[in-house]
Amino acid sequence: DTEVTQTPKHLVMGMTNKKSLKCEQHMGHRAMYWYKQKAKKPPELMFVYSYEKLSINESVPSRFSPECPNSSLLNLHLHALQPEDSALYLCASSQDLASLRNTIYFGEGSWLTVV
Amino acid sequence: SQQGEEDPQALSIQEGENATMNCSYKTSINNLQWYRQNSGRGLVHLILIRSNEREKHSGRLRVTLDTSKKSSSLLITASRAADTASYFCATDIYNQGGKLIFGQGTELSVKP
């Protein structure tokens, strides 16, 4: 079972709202990721968690706040977003970070529209 | 910043033909992975090739890696209409554990 589950599939929020995107995996993976993808563009790395600790933050604005409550869950808290933040947000997981065979598995994504 | 360049940006072929996509990258890598993405959907992992491997096969897929030229290619043989999708290469950057950086992608259209 190589499944990463993301909820919600679609989210529309106002610029003053606070919302969260959720991601779950039950593969025993210890690394989890958030990517952002705009239309017709490749995914861009936002955050990497390793063993529930933030390992990489790609200079993401503070209006995006990641959280890893346990090894199976990854959240992305959203506050005071801008319309240009509208995108597909992809969660991914992998066994760990330190392997030549570190296959990374992606979820279906959450479509975010900021109005 | 994006590490990979892919070409062609778009490729249109007939069913049954082979499709070749190329990927170039800039820095040392642990491995290179190829993904498929259907419109508006998540990424599906196709194949991973390690930095010490030169060629790998999986079904109708053949991937090559030339670390001296920092390039890789994905060959899809006997293409089908269902192969229509965007294809991305992604490099796992050496010594930056977890930093998987995607190329710009190739849009493949397979006409029945």
Side-chain angles (χ1 to χ4, degrees), chain B residues 51-98:
Chain B
S51 59
N52 59 357
E53 296 176 312
R54 292 298 165 255
E55 188 170 313
K56 208 157 178 187
H57 297 256
S58 176
R60 293 184 297 113
L61 305 180
R62 173 177 169 257
V63 168
T64 62
L65 179 65
D66 186 336
T67 52
S68 66
K69 294 181 180 176
K70 292 188 168 55
S71 67
S72 174
S73 68
L74 170 68
L75 169 67
I76 304 174
T77 59
S79 63
R80 305 166 181 167
D83 294 329
T84 295
S86 293
Y87 291 81
F88 293 96
C89 68
T91 47
D92 187 339
I93 308 294
Y94 180 74
N95 260 357
Q96 294 190 42

Side-chain angles (χ1 to χ4, degrees), chain A residues 50-91:
Chain A
S50 175
Y51 290 83
E52 298 154 53
K53 289 188 173 14
L54 184 64
S55 173
I56 296 176
N57 176 345
E58 289 285 275
S59 303
V60 178
S62 59
R63 57 185 185 271
F64 295 92
S65 175
E67 178 199 17
C68 190
N70 61 55
S71 60
S72 300
L73 294 174
L74 185 66
N75 298 323
L76 186 63
H77 302 299
L78 313 169
H79 174 53
L81 295 194
Q82 304 297 310
E84 57 265 29
D85 296 321
S86 299
L88 179 66
Y89 287 84
L90 293 159
C91 175

Side-chain angles (χ1 to χ4, degrees), chain A residues 33 35 37 40-45 48 56 58 88 90 97 99-104 106-108 111, chain B residues 2 30-31 33 35 37 40-43 45 48 50-52 88 92 96-100 102-104 107:
Chain A
Y33 312 75
Y35 279 80
Q37 186 179 24
K40 303 285 187 185
K41 295 290 186 184
E44 293 184 0
L45 181 64
V48 179
I56 296 176
E58 289 285 275
L88 179 66
L90 293 159
L97 298 185
S99 168
L100 285 179
R101 306 181 190 204
N102 195 31
T103 299
I104 299 180
F106 283 80
E108 286 290 322
W111 280 101
Chain B
Q2 297 304 316
N30 291 318
N31 61 61
Q33 306 183 39
Y35 289 85
Q37 186 176 37
R41 304 293 301 275
L43 292 153
H45 186 266
L48 178 153
R50 299 197 305 267
S51 59
N52 59 357
F88 293 96
D92 187 339
Q96 294 190 42
K99 201 158 184 171
L100 190 71
F102 284 81
Q104 295 300 306
E107 271 194 51

Side-chain angles (χ1 to χ4, degrees), chain A residues 3-15:
Chain A
E3 192 170 289
V4 176
T5 304
Q6 290 188 241
T7 56
K9 285 188 168 42
H10 297 273
L11 176 64
V12 179
M13 62 184 290
M15 288 188 282

